[in-house]
Amino acid sequence: MRTWREFLNEESANGVVEVILILVVLIGVVVIFRKQLQSLVGDLMDSVTRKAKAVE
């Protein structure tokens, strides 16, 4: 029983759990908004390409 209490009181694993939860949320957002993100990145890359050609 004492080992179980020590395990519950140990806080070193809390940071790992928080990082995993943040990653799960970020992956979920990317999956949900995938098409919008692809469109946004595509538009940004087109804009960069056009402006780079204008500089030449």
Side-chain angles (χ1 to χ4, degrees):
M1 192 66 161
R2 183 176 181 190
T3 321
W4 181 248
R5 277 190 217 148
E6 289 175 5
F7 175 74
L8 290 177
N9 289 334
E10 185 177 329
E11 297 182 11
S12 64
N14 285 348
V16 174
V17 173
E18 292 168 357
V19 169
I20 291 172
L21 287 174
I22 291 170
L23 287 174
V24 167
V25 169
L26 287 175
I27 291 170
V29 167
V30 168
V31 168
I32 291 170
F33 296 109
R34 178 178 43 143
K35 292 189 186 243
Q36 290 90 344
L37 288 170
Q38 286 176 339
S39 175
L40 175 67
V41 170
D43 291 344
L44 287 173
M45 292 306 291
D46 289 341
S47 175
V48 167
T49 303
R50 275 186 265 123
K51 289 182 180 182
K53 286 181 182 178
V55 171
E56 291 177 359

Short mmCIF file of all heavy atoms in Angstrom, two decimals:
data_model
loop_
_atom_site.label_atom_id
_atom_site.label_comp_id
_atom_site.label_asym_id
_atom_site.label_seq_id
_atom_site.Cartn_x
_atom_site.Cartn_y
_atom_site.Cartn_z
N MET A 1 0.83 -1.20 0.00
CA MET A 1 0.00 0.00 0.00
C MET A 1 0.87 1.25 0.00
O MET A 1 0.51 2.24 -0.61
CB MET A 1 -0.91 -0.06 1.23
CG MET A 1 -1.99 0.95 1.18
SD MET A 1 -3.11 0.58 -0.17
CE MET A 1 -4.49 1.48 0.30
N ARG A 2 1.99 1.22 0.68
CA ARG A 2 2.87 2.38 0.74
C ARG A 2 3.45 2.71 -0.63
O ARG A 2 3.55 3.87 -1.00
CB ARG A 2 3.99 2.10 1.74
CG ARG A 2 4.90 3.26 1.92
CD ARG A 2 5.93 2.97 2.97
NE ARG A 2 6.79 4.11 3.14
CZ ARG A 2 7.89 4.11 3.83
NH1 ARG A 2 8.26 3.02 4.45
NH2 ARG A 2 8.61 5.18 3.93
N THR A 3 3.79 1.68 -1.39
CA THR A 3 4.34 1.91 -2.74
C THR A 3 3.29 2.58 -3.62
O THR A 3 3.62 3.43 -4.44
CB THR A 3 4.75 0.57 -3.36
OG1 THR A 3 5.34 -0.26 -2.39
CG2 THR A 3 5.70 0.77 -4.49
N TRP A 4 2.05 2.19 -3.47
CA TRP A 4 0.98 2.79 -4.27
C TRP A 4 0.84 4.28 -3.95
O TRP A 4 0.68 5.10 -4.85
CB TRP A 4 -0.33 2.05 -3.98
CG TRP A 4 -1.49 2.57 -4.75
CD1 TRP A 4 -2.56 3.22 -4.25
CD2 TRP A 4 -1.70 2.50 -6.16
NE1 TRP A 4 -3.43 3.56 -5.25
CE2 TRP A 4 -2.92 3.12 -6.44
CE3 TRP A 4 -0.97 1.97 -7.21
CZ2 TRP A 4 -3.43 3.23 -7.73
CZ3 TRP A 4 -1.49 2.07 -8.49
CH2 TRP A 4 -2.69 2.70 -8.74
N ARG A 5 0.93 4.65 -2.68
CA ARG A 5 0.86 6.07 -2.29
C ARG A 5 2.04 6.85 -2.84
O ARG A 5 1.89 7.97 -3.32
CB ARG A 5 0.82 6.22 -0.78
CG ARG A 5 -0.55 6.05 -0.22
CD ARG A 5 -0.58 6.45 1.23
NE ARG A 5 -1.50 5.52 1.88
CZ ARG A 5 -1.40 5.10 3.11
NH1 ARG A 5 -0.41 5.53 3.87
NH2 ARG A 5 -2.27 4.28 3.61
N GLU A 6 3.22 6.25 -2.79
CA GLU A 6 4.40 6.91 -3.34
C GLU A 6 4.25 7.12 -4.85
O GLU A 6 4.63 8.15 -5.38
CB GLU A 6 5.66 6.09 -3.04
CG GLU A 6 6.07 6.11 -1.59
CD GLU A 6 7.24 5.18 -1.31
OE1 GLU A 6 7.78 4.58 -2.26
OE2 GLU A 6 7.60 5.06 -0.12
N PHE A 7 3.69 6.11 -5.51
CA PHE A 7 3.46 6.24 -6.95
C PHE A 7 2.50 7.38 -7.26
O PHE A 7 2.71 8.16 -8.19
CB PHE A 7 2.92 4.92 -7.51
CG PHE A 7 2.55 4.99 -8.95
CD1 PHE A 7 3.54 5.01 -9.93
CD2 PHE A 7 1.23 5.03 -9.34
CE1 PHE A 7 3.20 5.09 -11.27
CE2 PHE A 7 0.89 5.10 -10.68
CZ PHE A 7 1.88 5.12 -11.64
N LEU A 8 1.42 7.48 -6.50
CA LEU A 8 0.44 8.54 -6.74
C LEU A 8 1.00 9.93 -6.43
O LEU A 8 0.61 10.92 -7.05
CB LEU A 8 -0.82 8.29 -5.90
CG LEU A 8 -1.68 7.11 -6.33
CD1 LEU A 8 -2.84 6.93 -5.37
CD2 LEU A 8 -2.18 7.30 -7.74
N ASN A 9 1.91 10.01 -5.47
CA ASN A 9 2.48 11.30 -5.08
C ASN A 9 3.63 11.72 -5.98
O ASN A 9 4.04 12.88 -5.96
CB ASN A 9 2.96 11.26 -3.64
CG ASN A 9 1.80 11.23 -2.67
OD1 ASN A 9 0.72 11.71 -2.98
ND2 ASN A 9 2.01 10.66 -1.50
N GLU A 10 4.17 10.80 -6.76
CA GLU A 10 5.29 11.14 -7.64
C GLU A 10 4.79 12.04 -8.77
O GLU A 10 3.81 11.75 -9.45
CB GLU A 10 5.89 9.87 -8.24
CG GLU A 10 7.12 10.14 -9.05
CD GLU A 10 7.73 8.85 -9.56
OE1 GLU A 10 7.62 7.83 -8.88
OE2 GLU A 10 8.29 8.91 -10.65
N GLU A 11 5.45 13.16 -8.98
CA GLU A 11 5.00 14.15 -9.96
C GLU A 11 5.90 14.24 -11.17
O GLU A 11 5.67 15.05 -12.06
CB GLU A 11 4.88 15.51 -9.30
CG GLU A 11 3.85 15.56 -8.19
CD GLU A 11 3.74 16.94 -7.58
OE1 GLU A 11 4.31 17.88 -8.15
OE2 GLU A 11 3.10 17.07 -6.54
N SER A 12 6.93 13.44 -11.25
CA SER A 12 7.86 13.56 -12.37
C SER A 12 7.24 13.16 -13.70
O SER A 12 7.68 13.62 -14.75
CB SER A 12 9.11 12.73 -12.11
OG SER A 12 8.77 11.36 -12.05
N ALA A 13 6.22 12.32 -13.68
CA ALA A 13 5.59 11.89 -14.93
C ALA A 13 4.53 12.86 -15.41
O ALA A 13 4.04 12.74 -16.52
CB ALA A 13 4.98 10.51 -14.74
N ASN A 14 4.17 13.85 -14.61
CA ASN A 14 3.13 14.78 -15.01
C ASN A 14 3.52 15.56 -16.25
O ASN A 14 2.69 15.83 -17.11
CB ASN A 14 2.80 15.76 -13.88
CG ASN A 14 1.98 15.08 -12.79
OD1 ASN A 14 1.49 13.98 -12.98
ND2 ASN A 14 1.86 15.75 -11.67
N GLY A 15 4.76 15.94 -16.39
CA GLY A 15 5.21 16.69 -17.56
C GLY A 15 5.07 15.87 -18.83
O GLY A 15 4.67 16.40 -19.88
N VAL A 16 5.34 14.60 -18.75
CA VAL A 16 5.21 13.72 -19.91
C VAL A 16 3.76 13.63 -20.34
O VAL A 16 3.44 13.72 -21.54
CB VAL A 16 5.78 12.32 -19.60
CG1 VAL A 16 5.54 11.36 -20.73
CG2 VAL A 16 7.26 12.42 -19.27
N VAL A 17 2.86 13.47 -19.39
CA VAL A 17 1.44 13.38 -19.70
C VAL A 17 0.95 14.67 -20.34
O VAL A 17 0.19 14.66 -21.31
CB VAL A 17 0.63 13.04 -18.42
CG1 VAL A 17 -0.87 13.12 -18.69
CG2 VAL A 17 1.01 11.67 -17.90
N GLU A 18 1.39 15.80 -19.82
CA GLU A 18 0.97 17.08 -20.39
C GLU A 18 1.45 17.24 -21.82
O GLU A 18 0.70 17.70 -22.69
CB GLU A 18 1.50 18.23 -19.53
CG GLU A 18 0.85 18.29 -18.16
CD GLU A 18 1.56 19.23 -17.22
OE1 GLU A 18 2.60 19.79 -17.61
OE2 GLU A 18 1.08 19.38 -16.09
N VAL A 19 2.67 16.85 -22.09
CA VAL A 19 3.20 16.95 -23.45
C VAL A 19 2.42 16.04 -24.39
O VAL A 19 2.08 16.43 -25.51
CB VAL A 19 4.71 16.60 -23.48
CG1 VAL A 19 5.22 16.45 -24.89
CG2 VAL A 19 5.50 17.66 -22.74
N ILE A 20 2.11 14.84 -23.95
CA ILE A 20 1.34 13.92 -24.78
C ILE A 20 -0.04 14.47 -25.07
O ILE A 20 -0.53 14.40 -26.20
CB ILE A 20 1.26 12.53 -24.11
CG1 ILE A 20 2.64 11.87 -24.13
CG2 ILE A 20 0.23 11.64 -24.79
CD1 ILE A 20 2.74 10.58 -23.35
N LEU A 21 -0.69 15.06 -24.07
CA LEU A 21 -2.02 15.64 -24.28
C LEU A 21 -1.96 16.81 -25.26
O LEU A 21 -2.84 16.95 -26.12
CB LEU A 21 -2.62 16.10 -22.95
CG LEU A 21 -3.09 14.98 -22.03
CD1 LEU A 21 -3.53 15.55 -20.69
CD2 LEU A 21 -4.21 14.19 -22.66
N ILE A 22 -0.95 17.65 -25.15
CA ILE A 22 -0.80 18.77 -26.09
C ILE A 22 -0.60 18.25 -27.50
O ILE A 22 -1.19 18.76 -28.46
CB ILE A 22 0.36 19.68 -25.64
CG1 ILE A 22 -0.03 20.42 -24.36
CG2 ILE A 22 0.72 20.68 -26.75
CD1 ILE A 22 1.11 21.16 -23.71
N LEU A 23 0.23 17.23 -27.66
CA LEU A 23 0.45 16.65 -28.99
C LEU A 23 -0.83 16.05 -29.56
O LEU A 23 -1.12 16.22 -30.76
CB LEU A 23 1.54 15.58 -28.94
CG LEU A 23 2.96 16.09 -28.76
CD1 LEU A 23 3.92 14.93 -28.57
CD2 LEU A 23 3.38 16.93 -29.96
N VAL A 24 -1.62 15.39 -28.74
CA VAL A 24 -2.88 14.81 -29.20
C VAL A 24 -3.82 15.91 -29.68
O VAL A 24 -4.47 15.79 -30.73
CB VAL A 24 -3.52 13.96 -28.09
CG1 VAL A 24 -4.96 13.61 -28.41
CG2 VAL A 24 -2.71 12.70 -27.86
N VAL A 25 -3.90 17.00 -28.94
CA VAL A 25 -4.77 18.11 -29.33
C VAL A 25 -4.28 18.74 -30.64
O VAL A 25 -5.08 19.00 -31.54
CB VAL A 25 -4.84 19.17 -28.21
CG1 VAL A 25 -5.51 20.44 -28.70
CG2 VAL A 25 -5.58 18.60 -27.01
N LEU A 26 -2.97 18.95 -30.77
CA LEU A 26 -2.44 19.53 -32.00
C LEU A 26 -2.69 18.63 -33.20
O LEU A 26 -3.07 19.11 -34.28
CB LEU A 26 -0.94 19.81 -31.85
CG LEU A 26 -0.58 20.99 -30.97
CD1 LEU A 26 0.94 21.06 -30.80
CD2 LEU A 26 -1.11 22.28 -31.53
N ILE A 27 -2.48 17.34 -33.04
CA ILE A 27 -2.74 16.41 -34.13
C ILE A 27 -4.22 16.41 -34.49
O ILE A 27 -4.58 16.38 -35.67
CB ILE A 27 -2.24 14.99 -33.76
CG1 ILE A 27 -0.72 14.99 -33.70
CG2 ILE A 27 -2.75 13.94 -34.74
CD1 ILE A 27 -0.12 13.74 -33.10
N GLY A 28 -5.08 16.48 -33.50
CA GLY A 28 -6.51 16.55 -33.76
C GLY A 28 -6.89 17.80 -34.54
O GLY A 28 -7.69 17.73 -35.48
N VAL A 29 -6.32 18.93 -34.19
CA VAL A 29 -6.60 20.18 -34.90
C VAL A 29 -6.12 20.09 -36.35
O VAL A 29 -6.82 20.51 -37.28
CB VAL A 29 -5.94 21.38 -34.18
CG1 VAL A 29 -5.94 22.62 -35.04
CG2 VAL A 29 -6.64 21.64 -32.86
N VAL A 30 -4.95 19.51 -36.55
CA VAL A 30 -4.42 19.36 -37.91
C VAL A 30 -5.32 18.44 -38.73
O VAL A 30 -5.61 18.73 -39.89
CB VAL A 30 -2.97 18.82 -37.88
CG1 VAL A 30 -2.51 18.38 -39.25
CG2 VAL A 30 -2.04 19.89 -37.34
N VAL A 31 -5.80 17.37 -38.14
CA VAL A 31 -6.67 16.45 -38.86
C VAL A 31 -8.00 17.12 -39.19
O VAL A 31 -8.50 16.98 -40.32
CB VAL A 31 -6.89 15.16 -38.03
CG1 VAL A 31 -8.01 14.31 -38.61
CG2 VAL A 31 -5.60 14.36 -37.96
N ILE A 32 -8.55 17.85 -38.25
CA ILE A 32 -9.85 18.50 -38.47
C ILE A 32 -9.75 19.59 -39.55
O ILE A 32 -10.60 19.70 -40.43
CB ILE A 32 -10.39 19.08 -37.15
CG1 ILE A 32 -10.77 17.95 -36.22
CG2 ILE A 32 -11.57 20.00 -37.40
CD1 ILE A 32 -11.10 18.38 -34.81
N PHE A 33 -8.71 20.40 -39.49
CA PHE A 33 -8.58 21.54 -40.40
C PHE A 33 -7.56 21.28 -41.51
O PHE A 33 -6.95 22.21 -42.03
CB PHE A 33 -8.19 22.80 -39.61
CG PHE A 33 -9.24 23.22 -38.63
CD1 PHE A 33 -9.04 23.06 -37.27
CD2 PHE A 33 -10.43 23.75 -39.06
CE1 PHE A 33 -10.00 23.44 -36.35
CE2 PHE A 33 -11.41 24.13 -38.17
CZ PHE A 33 -11.20 23.97 -36.80
N ARG A 34 -7.38 20.03 -41.91
CA ARG A 34 -6.34 19.67 -42.88
C ARG A 34 -6.51 20.40 -44.21
O ARG A 34 -5.56 20.96 -44.73
CB ARG A 34 -6.36 18.16 -43.10
CG ARG A 34 -5.37 17.69 -44.12
CD ARG A 34 -5.41 16.21 -44.25
NE ARG A 34 -6.80 15.74 -44.25
CZ ARG A 34 -7.24 14.75 -44.98
NH1 ARG A 34 -6.42 14.10 -45.74
NH2 ARG A 34 -8.49 14.39 -44.93
N LYS A 35 -7.72 20.40 -44.75
CA LYS A 35 -7.93 21.04 -46.06
C LYS A 35 -7.68 22.55 -46.00
O LYS A 35 -7.07 23.11 -46.90
CB LYS A 35 -9.33 20.74 -46.57
CG LYS A 35 -9.50 19.29 -46.92
CD LYS A 35 -10.82 19.05 -47.61
CE LYS A 35 -10.98 17.56 -47.80
NZ LYS A 35 -11.05 17.17 -49.16
N GLN A 36 -8.13 23.18 -44.93
CA GLN A 36 -7.91 24.62 -44.80
C GLN A 36 -6.42 24.92 -44.65
O GLN A 36 -5.93 25.90 -45.21
CB GLN A 36 -8.68 25.17 -43.60
CG GLN A 36 -10.17 25.19 -43.78
CD GLN A 36 -10.84 23.92 -43.30
OE1 GLN A 36 -10.20 22.90 -43.09
NE2 GLN A 36 -12.15 23.99 -43.13
N LEU A 37 -5.71 24.10 -43.89
CA LEU A 37 -4.27 24.31 -43.71
C LEU A 37 -3.52 24.09 -45.02
O LEU A 37 -2.60 24.84 -45.35
CB LEU A 37 -3.73 23.39 -42.62
CG LEU A 37 -4.12 23.74 -41.19
CD1 LEU A 37 -3.72 22.62 -40.24
CD2 LEU A 37 -3.49 25.04 -40.77
N GLN A 38 -3.91 23.08 -45.79
CA GLN A 38 -3.27 22.84 -47.08
C GLN A 38 -3.50 24.01 -48.02
O GLN A 38 -2.58 24.44 -48.73
CB GLN A 38 -3.81 21.55 -47.72
CG GLN A 38 -3.29 20.30 -47.08
CD GLN A 38 -3.92 19.05 -47.67
OE1 GLN A 38 -4.99 19.09 -48.26
NE2 GLN A 38 -3.25 17.92 -47.48
N SER A 39 -4.71 24.54 -48.02
CA SER A 39 -5.01 25.69 -48.86
C SER A 39 -4.20 26.91 -48.44
O SER A 39 -3.64 27.62 -49.28
CB SER A 39 -6.51 26.00 -48.77
OG SER A 39 -6.82 27.17 -49.48
N LEU A 40 -4.11 27.15 -47.15
CA LEU A 40 -3.36 28.29 -46.63
C LEU A 40 -1.88 28.19 -46.99
O LEU A 40 -1.29 29.14 -47.48
CB LEU A 40 -3.53 28.40 -45.12
CG LEU A 40 -2.71 29.48 -44.41
CD1 LEU A 40 -3.20 30.85 -44.85
CD2 LEU A 40 -2.80 29.32 -42.92
N VAL A 41 -1.29 27.02 -46.77
CA VAL A 41 0.13 26.83 -47.07
C VAL A 41 0.37 26.94 -48.57
O VAL A 41 1.34 27.55 -49.01
CB VAL A 41 0.62 25.47 -46.52
CG1 VAL A 41 2.01 25.14 -47.03
CG2 VAL A 41 0.60 25.49 -45.01
N GLY A 42 -0.54 26.39 -49.37
CA GLY A 42 -0.41 26.50 -50.83
C GLY A 42 -0.45 27.95 -51.29
O GLY A 42 0.35 28.37 -52.13
N ASP A 43 -1.38 28.72 -50.75
CA ASP A 43 -1.48 30.14 -51.09
C ASP A 43 -0.22 30.91 -50.67
O ASP A 43 0.28 31.77 -51.42
CB ASP A 43 -2.70 30.78 -50.44
CG ASP A 43 -4.01 30.27 -51.02
OD1 ASP A 43 -3.98 29.67 -52.12
OD2 ASP A 43 -5.06 30.48 -50.37
N LEU A 44 0.29 30.60 -49.50
CA LEU A 44 1.51 31.27 -49.03
C LEU A 44 2.70 30.94 -49.94
O LEU A 44 3.49 31.82 -50.28
CB LEU A 44 1.83 30.86 -47.60
CG LEU A 44 0.93 31.45 -46.52
CD1 LEU A 44 1.24 30.82 -45.17
CD2 LEU A 44 1.09 32.95 -46.45
N MET A 45 2.82 29.68 -50.33
CA MET A 45 3.94 29.28 -51.19
C MET A 45 3.82 29.93 -52.57
O MET A 45 4.81 30.35 -53.15
CB MET A 45 4.00 27.75 -51.32
CG MET A 45 4.38 27.07 -50.01
SD MET A 45 5.90 27.69 -49.29
CE MET A 45 7.09 27.09 -50.45
N ASP A 46 2.59 30.02 -53.10
CA ASP A 46 2.39 30.70 -54.39
C ASP A 46 2.79 32.16 -54.29
O ASP A 46 3.42 32.71 -55.19
CB ASP A 46 0.93 30.58 -54.83
CG ASP A 46 0.57 29.17 -55.27
OD1 ASP A 46 1.50 28.39 -55.57
OD2 ASP A 46 -0.63 28.86 -55.29
N SER A 47 2.41 32.80 -53.20
CA SER A 47 2.75 34.21 -53.00
C SER A 47 4.26 34.40 -52.91
O SER A 47 4.81 35.33 -53.52
CB SER A 47 2.08 34.71 -51.72
OG SER A 47 2.47 36.03 -51.45
N VAL A 48 4.93 33.52 -52.18
CA VAL A 48 6.38 33.62 -52.06
C VAL A 48 7.04 33.42 -53.43
O VAL A 48 7.98 34.14 -53.79
CB VAL A 48 6.90 32.57 -51.04
CG1 VAL A 48 8.40 32.43 -51.13
CG2 VAL A 48 6.47 32.96 -49.63
N THR A 49 6.54 32.45 -54.19
CA THR A 49 7.11 32.18 -55.52
C THR A 49 6.93 33.39 -56.44
O THR A 49 7.87 33.79 -57.15
CB THR A 49 6.44 30.94 -56.15
OG1 THR A 49 6.62 29.84 -55.25
CG2 THR A 49 7.05 30.60 -57.48
N ARG A 50 5.74 33.97 -56.43
CA ARG A 50 5.49 35.13 -57.30
C ARG A 50 6.38 36.31 -56.90
O ARG A 50 6.95 36.99 -57.74
CB ARG A 50 4.03 35.56 -57.20
CG ARG A 50 3.14 34.77 -58.15
CD ARG A 50 1.72 35.28 -58.16
NE ARG A 50 0.98 34.44 -57.20
CZ ARG A 50 0.31 34.90 -56.15
NH1 ARG A 50 0.24 36.18 -55.89
NH2 ARG A 50 -0.30 34.07 -55.34
N LYS A 51 6.52 36.56 -55.60
CA LYS A 51 7.35 37.69 -55.16
C LYS A 51 8.82 37.44 -55.41
O LYS A 51 9.56 38.37 -55.72
CB LYS A 51 7.10 37.97 -53.68
CG LYS A 51 5.71 38.57 -53.45
CD LYS A 51 5.47 38.91 -52.01
CE LYS A 51 4.07 39.50 -51.88
NZ LYS A 51 3.76 39.91 -50.53
N ALA A 52 9.25 36.18 -55.33
CA ALA A 52 10.66 35.85 -55.63
C ALA A 52 10.95 36.08 -57.10
O ALA A 52 12.02 36.56 -57.48
CB ALA A 52 10.97 34.42 -55.23
N LYS A 53 10.00 35.74 -57.97
CA LYS A 53 10.18 35.96 -59.41
C LYS A 53 10.18 37.44 -59.73
O LYS A 53 10.87 37.88 -60.64
CB LYS A 53 9.09 35.23 -60.19
CG LYS A 53 9.28 33.74 -60.22
CD LYS A 53 8.21 33.06 -61.02
CE LYS A 53 8.40 31.54 -61.01
NZ LYS A 53 7.34 30.86 -61.74
N ALA A 54 9.42 38.23 -58.97
CA ALA A 54 9.37 39.67 -59.20
C ALA A 54 10.70 40.32 -58.82
O ALA A 54 11.09 41.33 -59.42
CB ALA A 54 8.22 40.30 -58.40
N VAL A 55 11.41 39.76 -57.88
CA VAL A 55 12.69 40.32 -57.44
C VAL A 55 13.76 40.08 -58.50
O VAL A 55 14.64 40.91 -58.70
CB VAL A 55 13.12 39.71 -56.08
CG1 VAL A 55 14.52 40.11 -55.71
CG2 VAL A 55 12.13 40.13 -54.99
N GLU A 56 13.68 38.96 -59.17
CA GLU A 56 14.68 38.62 -60.18
C GLU A 56 14.64 39.63 -61.25
O GLU A 56 14.92 40.26 -61.95
CB GLU A 56 14.42 37.25 -60.76
CG GLU A 56 14.67 36.14 -59.76
CD GLU A 56 14.32 34.78 -60.35
OE1 GLU A 56 13.88 34.71 -61.50
OE2 GLU A 56 14.48 33.80 -59.65
#
